Amino acid sequence: MKRFILALTLLISTANAFALDKGAIFGKVVEQVGALPVPAAIVQVYQASSEQPLITSRTDDDGSFKISHLKYGVYSVKVSYIGFVPLVVNDIILTEKAPEKRVGVLKLAADQTSLNEVTVTAEKPLVQFAADMMTYNVEKSIMAEGSTASDILKNVPMVEVDLDGNATISGKRNTRIFIDGKPSDYMTSNIADLLSVLPSDAIEKIEVMTNPPAKYSGDGEGIINIVMKKNFKIGLGGNAGTTVGLQGNTNMNTNASYKGKTYSVNGGAAYQYKIRKNSNQNYRDNFFPDTAFYYNNFNDNRNALDGGNYRANFDWNITKKQNLRISTNFNNNGNSNNTGAFNHYLDEERIERNLRNQLTLGTVKSHNFVFDSDYELNIDTNGGQLSLGLTYSENDNINSRSLNRTFEPATRNPQLQENYNGITNDGLTFKLDFNKPVFKKKDNIEAGFSYNYRNNNNDQQIQNFDFDTRQYIINDKLSNQFLYKEDIFAGYAAYNLRGKKWGAKAGLRAELTDVKFDLSSGEKYNIDPYLNLFPSLSVNKSFKQRYNLMASYSVRVNRPRENSLNPQVNNNDPLNINYGNPDLLPELTQQMDMAFSIYGKRWSFLPRLAYSRRQAVIERYKTVLQTGVGETTYDNVASNSEFGLFLNGNYRPYKTISTNANISFSQATYKSILNNSLSRTGKNIRGSFGMSMELPLKTAFEGNINYYNNISAQGRNKGSVTTWMGARKVFLKNKLNARISITDPFGKSNNYSLNEGINFRSENFYTSNSSNVTLSLNYRFTRITRTKPIPPPPPPKL
């Protein structure tokens, strides 16, 4: 009897032990973009509260995995693969009633949307380089909180920000700013104003694309894409902060988000007040067959800018196959400026003959609104996806100026002038995109269609004061209304093929542009619709998971738009007037890159050779009349070819220290049939170095230094060395963040430019009060919703 009871007990115990090892977790791993399977991805299973994996396995050729012989309980699964952000699935519960758990299709997001990316460590560095793109992970910067997009861009390698806040890619003269993959220049009349109020707290990363794929518009030689934060933890979270500076600059912002199981809502608001002071010295020598004379012009300017940014986003997973995202963005900006200008006229012996003084008072008010919606549908289980996008934007800009001119000696009467510019823009964009794997899920085909509509209305009204009648009289020669309409129809197709250690991507984009504009005076300008084809090709080959060889080719366009086409005359400075050119042709650029990247455990190095050839180059072109009046307009000044060497890299000597540097050398050659003086060859030099480090006591340090020197068709622009450094410390269990920042501690920012023509030579010295010290405080609040795990059932009683 005892033996029977012992045998029965042993049988029951064995059965229970066998039952407790019947649990299984299975699923499939694919790429987020294109849904291609990821073979050989590492799958690690962790028990709840354990830091060491219980089981480590790999996916098969189809990207599938199954982990068996698990005891009932609570687990988490971590999936990782080189070049992708690790994915973790928590709270996987195995019970006797549900011994198997299907986690479904797990989508790995690439560290960069480039098929050339190789990432060695799971920890994201501040800067990641790929063969045709660089990613700056904003959250790794100590400026991630309490600053603006404009502040962040000044610290991004490969990006130049001029003293007016305009950002460009080094070596790319025509750069476009995108937000979440969509053009921002359709959203505002001044991109610098938008960047100056867009809070860094809402930015996830900044992508610098040197060779954009066919999916993106053919405009511009490169794209700076600002990716906003979208993924939040379940629950309520947010932050609020403020920044103050010694120059009187103030920034206040707040962000909040809430995420449920199938939806998320987030939004924020920011306000900024900034004071900008600058001075300008211009020396122009004017040469004519029978005489020579000189103009020395000095300006002092003070701008007070203020503005707000308000955002709201809604993201809803309608079903497992459908997602809807809606976002709105509103900006308002104000600017009051005071400029004093002194123009000295010197004769051939450099003796001053007269002086013109001008005081200009101006105000600018603008606002822009954007509504954006995206719908995504997974049309099959093989990764096919259809997406629809609709964007509506409008912005208004009102610019008012009053000018008071006096002369010494007083041989001429004073001049009073009132200038008014009312500019309105509205636009509509529709996009339809489709992508799907074709053969054995090792490839992907993309296709899409888009339509862009833009409407611009620039109402310019100039009034001169009549001292006899004591009234302002409209100047009919300078007053006019410029009406501009643009329609762009585009379609594209691309094919991606990926092998085990190589990849290739080919695409073709076609764009039909229809532009119409005229003046209210009755002048009509007819531009025949023109069709452009933009082929793109890139191939890459990796070796030993450390080396990557890449080559690419693409064609891009720089379309003349309202700012360069508008023939309305701006005579704020009567001796230097400017206007647009309605006869401009589109500028086409062919660009080729070849890069070889090397990745080590703590470093990466990416040298890149680049060649570009531009036809019908659009640049500002200045001429001087016999009267001494300088006229500046846009023209297709020349063709241009440029060879460049770009050296990019980063090094992490310790886990707490990260450095990055980029240096570029290029030689540009202009050949012009417009004017012999525009045919020239010159060198461009650019460079930057940055460092960030984590220090004891929850502190961190970051700093960078930048320099650029560029050639143009009529001269050269030379920037000064600009520097920035900052330190951060966190308090209250990482909830409170305090940062002190120092900009250009060794002096003001300077810019020197030289322009030369047939009968003039002009030197310009520009100085800005960039030196500043700011203090930022940011408080973070979070309330995470956690799902309580279901405890495993107790063992049966014997």
Side-chain angles (χ1 to χ4, degrees):
M1 187 67 177
K2 290 182 179 180
R3 290 182 178 179
F4 174 76
I5 295 175
L6 182 61
L8 183 61
T9 302
L10 182 61
L11 180 62
I12 294 174
S13 299
T14 303
N16 287 337
F18 181 75
L20 293 177
D21 288 338
K22 268 193 169 181
I25 300 173
F26 57 96
K28 186 175 182 179
V29 181
V30 301
E31 296 182 19
Q32 186 181 64
V33 178
L36 295 174
V38 182
I42 298 175
V43 181
Q44 295 174 305
V45 177
Y46 294 78
Q47 287 183 312
S49 73
S50 175
E51 296 183 357
Q52 297 297 325
L54 178 67
I55 297 176
T56 299
S57 181
R58 290 180 179 270
T59 58
D60 60 20
D61 291 341
D62 193 38
S64 300
F65 68 88
K66 184 174 183 179
I67 311 296
S68 304
H69 305 298
L70 297 173
K71 295 180 179 180
Y72 300 147
V74 182
Y75 298 91
S76 63
V77 170
K78 179 180 179 181
V79 181
S80 58
Y81 190 74
I82 294 175
F84 294 86
V85 180
L87 180 80
V88 178
V89 181
N90 293 315
D91 299 331
I92 301 174
I93 303 169
L94 304 180
T95 65
E96 184 177 7
K97 293 183 179 180
E100 295 187 345
K101 178 66 175 180
R102 176 178 177 84
V103 294
V105 178
L106 303 181
K107 298 181 179 181
L108 291 185
D111 273 351
Q112 300 175 345
T113 56
S114 169
L115 46 81
N116 316 299
E117 174 79 18
V118 178
T119 302
V120 177
T121 58
E123 178 71 16
K124 281 188 179 181
L126 176 65
V127 179
Q128 292 173 284
F129 290 105
D132 62 349
M133 186 169 72
M134 186 277 300
T135 297
Y136 185 88
N137 295 304
V138 175
E139 61 182 7
K140 295 298 180 180
S141 168
I142 70 173
M143 294 192 70
E145 298 172 339
S147 57
T148 66
S150 182
D151 298 326
I152 293 291
L153 284 168
K154 292 176 182 178
N155 299 326
V156 176
M158 296 177 63
V159 173
E160 298 171 8
V161 180
D162 65 18
L163 299 184
D164 295 321
N166 299 304
T168 57
I169 300 175
S170 299
K172 305 289 185 181
R173 299 173 185 270
N174 302 311
T175 301
R176 299 189 73 191
I177 307 296
F178 278 40
I179 296 179
D180 283 336
K182 299 182 180 180
S184 66
D185 47 1
Y186 292 164
M187 306 175 186
T188 178
S189 56
N190 190 340
I191 298 175
D193 287 344
L194 172 63
L195 298 177
S196 69
V197 293
L198 188 65
S200 61
D201 311 66
I203 301 173
E204 177 184 346
K205 59 185 177 180
I206 295 175
E207 299 171 334
V208 182
M209 302 181 188
T210 55
N211 189 12
K215 181 178 181 179
Y216 293 97
S217 168
D219 272 299
E221 297 175 54
I223 292 174
I224 298 175
N225 184 33
I226 300 174
V227 181
M228 310 299 288
K229 290 179 180 177
K230 301 178 185 66
N231 299 320
F232 301 89
K233 295 180 179 179
I234 293 179
L236 177 66
N239 63 277
T242 184
T243 299
V244 294
L246 292 182
Q247 293 187 0
N249 300 350
T250 303
N251 179 300
M252 294 180 288
N253 65 85
T254 181
N255 296 279
S257 66
Y258 179 81
K259 183 174 183 179
K261 291 183 178 180
T262 61
Y263 70 94
S264 65
V265 180
N266 67 83
Y271 170 79
Q272 178 179 243
Y273 176 79
K274 179 185 292 186
I275 296 176
R276 182 186 299 165
K277 299 177 182 178
N278 56 69
S279 61
N280 188 76
Q281 302 176 37
N282 181 268
Y283 303 91
R284 194 176 89 201
D285 303 340
N286 307 277
F287 305 106
F288 294 94
D290 55 347
T291 185
F293 53 92
Y294 308 90
Y295 285 134
N296 296 338
N297 197 38
F298 305 92
N299 296 310
D300 288 302
N301 183 57
R302 182 186 185 277
N303 280 350
L305 305 96
D306 66 333
N309 173 266
Y310 314 93
R311 307 171 320 283
N313 304 276
F314 175 72
D315 195 309
W316 179 28
N317 292 321
I318 305 172
T319 65
K320 292 183 178 181
K321 295 184 177 182
Q322 300 179 81
N323 175 268
L324 176 65
R325 182 181 299 122
I326 297 175
S327 64
T328 60
N329 192 90
F330 178 80
N331 291 289
N332 67 287
N333 294 278
N335 177 3
S336 60
N337 58 78
N338 185 328
T339 303
F342 309 91
N343 184 272
H344 303 262
Y345 169 76
L346 288 74
D347 64 15
E348 194 168 10
E349 283 76 33
R350 295 186 182 271
I351 299 175
E352 182 171 320
R353 295 303 181 181
N354 58 61
L355 169 66
R356 189 202 71 205
N357 303 314
Q358 178 171 303
L359 176 64
T360 304
L361 302 177
T363 61
V364 179
K365 294 183 179 180
S366 65
H367 77 266
N368 66 80
F369 170 77
V370 179
F371 173 85
D372 191 74
S373 63
D374 291 283
Y375 172 78
E376 293 182 355
L377 173 65
N378 296 322
I379 59 178
D380 55 43
T381 58
N382 296 323
Q385 189 179 73
L386 184 70
S387 61
L388 298 171
L390 182 67
T391 302
Y392 172 76
S393 62
E394 64 175 30
N395 65 79
D396 297 323
N397 184 297
I398 299 176
N399 189 340
S400 301
R401 296 181 302 276
S402 62
L403 294 80
N404 184 353
R405 302 183 186 115
T406 58
F407 303 89
E408 297 178 15
T411 56
R412 299 173 59 185
N413 292 328
Q415 296 177 352
L416 298 178
Q417 188 177 97
E418 295 285 345
N419 295 0
Y420 169 87
N421 272 84
I423 305 173
T424 61
N425 282 283
D426 60 83
L428 181 68
T429 301
F430 171 78
K431 292 182 63 178
L432 172 65
D433 296 291
F434 169 80
N435 65 77
K436 179 179 173 59
V438 183
F439 301 110
K440 297 183 181 180
K441 303 179 181 178
K442 296 292 185 181
D443 62 353
N444 185 51
I445 187 170
E446 298 176 292
F449 167 82
S450 68
Y451 167 68
N452 295 297
Y453 165 80
R454 291 188 65 204
N455 180 54
N456 173 274
N457 185 340
N458 187 336
D459 185 8
Q460 175 176 284
Q461 196 175 91
I462 310 298
Q463 297 184 96
N464 295 322
F465 187 75
D466 188 324
F467 284 90
D468 294 331
T469 62
R470 312 298 297 178
Q471 292 180 341
Y472 278 98
I473 308 297
I474 292 180
N475 187 328
D476 293 327
K477 293 183 179 180
L478 299 178
S479 299
N480 223 317
Q481 190 172 14
F482 178 72
L483 304 172
Y484 174 92
K485 291 184 178 181
E486 175 187 274
D487 294 276
I488 300 178
F489 302 86
Y492 76 93
Y495 182 70
N496 310 327
L497 183 62
R498 190 190 68 189
K500 189 175 182 180
K501 292 185 178 180
W502 61 273
K505 186 174 184 178
L508 179 64
R509 185 179 184 91
E511 296 184 349
L512 177 65
T513 305
D514 185 13
V515 172
K516 298 177 182 178
F517 58 94
D518 56 59
L519 298 177
S520 59
S521 61
E523 294 180 68
K524 299 288 183 179
Y525 300 91
N526 296 318
I527 297 181
D528 294 332
Y530 54 92
L531 176 68
N532 295 115
L533 298 179
F534 306 104
S536 60
L537 173 68
S538 64
V539 293
N540 77 293
K541 171 71 174 177
S542 60
F543 309 88
K544 299 181 180 180
Q545 297 184 345
R546 291 190 60 192
Y547 310 103
N548 197 34
L549 181 64
M550 177 267 181
S552 65
Y553 168 81
S554 66
V555 176
R556 311 289 296 173
V557 67
N558 176 27
R559 291 183 178 87
R561 288 199 162 92
E562 60 270 26
N563 291 333
S564 56
L565 294 171
N566 188 351
Q568 291 175 325
V569 175
N570 181 339
N571 76 330
N572 286 344
D573 182 352
L575 295 178
N576 295 279
I577 65 174
N578 57 82
Y579 49 88
N581 180 2
D583 297 321
L584 285 176
L585 301 174
E587 170 189 325
L588 291 174
T589 301
Q590 298 184 66
Q591 51 189 26
M592 292 174 282
D593 291 356
M594 179 173 289
F596 181 71
S597 57
I598 311 172
Y599 292 85
K601 186 176 181 180
R602 294 181 177 177
W603 58 272
S604 68
F605 178 58
L606 195 153
R608 178 167 62 93
L609 289 172
Y611 171 76
S612 66
R613 178 165 180 78
R614 298 187 293 155
Q615 298 288 345
V617 175
I618 299 175
E619 286 188 11
R620 287 180 176 271
Y621 174 63
K622 186 171 185 175
T623 56
V624 175
L625 305 180
Q626 186 75 30
T627 59
V629 174
E631 293 190 354
T632 301
T633 185
Y634 292 88
D635 215 321
N636 298 109
V637 294
S639 63
N640 171 276
S641 59
E642 185 168 349
F643 293 90
L645 172 63
F646 300 82
L647 304 175
N648 303 305
N650 58 15
Y651 174 56
R652 306 187 76 180
Y654 303 99
K655 186 177 180 180
T656 56
I657 299 177
S658 177
T659 63
N660 66 82
N662 74 90
I663 302 174
S664 67
F665 307 90
S666 64
Q667 177 169 295
T669 301
Y670 286 87
K671 293 184 178 180
S672 175
I673 60 174
L674 178 68
N675 190 316
N676 289 333
S677 67
L678 301 178
S679 296
R680 64 178 65 218
T681 298
K683 293 178 175 59
N684 302 313
I685 302 174
R686 310 170 188 90
S688 69
F689 174 79
M691 180 179 68
S692 61
M693 63 176 67
E694 295 289 335
L695 301 174
L697 303 177
K698 296 184 178 181
T699 60
F701 169 84
E702 186 179 335
N704 65 58
I705 183 169
N706 298 274
Y707 172 80
Y708 70 90
N709 188 339
N710 298 328
I711 187 176
S712 64
Q714 274 199 301
R716 174 174 294 280
N717 297 317
K718 180 180 179 182
S720 61
V721 175
T722 59
T723 56
W724 175 88
M725 60 187 70
R728 177 193 66 194
K729 182 174 177 57
V730 294
F731 306 88
L732 302 179
K733 299 181 179 181
N734 297 332
K735 291 184 177 180
L736 181 63
N737 177 327
R739 184 187 78 236
I740 185 169
S741 304
I742 305 175
T743 305
D744 289 331
F746 307 110
K748 299 180 180 181
S749 293
N750 301 303
N751 179 275
Y752 167 79
S753 63
L754 170 67
N755 289 309
E756 295 177 297
I758 294 177
N759 57 4
F760 77 94
R761 185 177 189 272
S762 176
E763 290 186 283
N764 194 76
F765 300 86
Y766 184 89
T767 302
S768 176
N769 68 327
S770 56
S771 300
N772 197 14
V773 179
T774 59
L775 173 65
S776 301
L777 295 175
N778 194 86
Y779 181 78
R780 187 182 303 166
F781 57 89
T782 306
R783 188 176 69 200
I784 302 299
T785 301
R786 300 185 182 275
T787 303
K788 294 183 178 180
I790 302 174
K797 296 181 180 180
L798 299 178

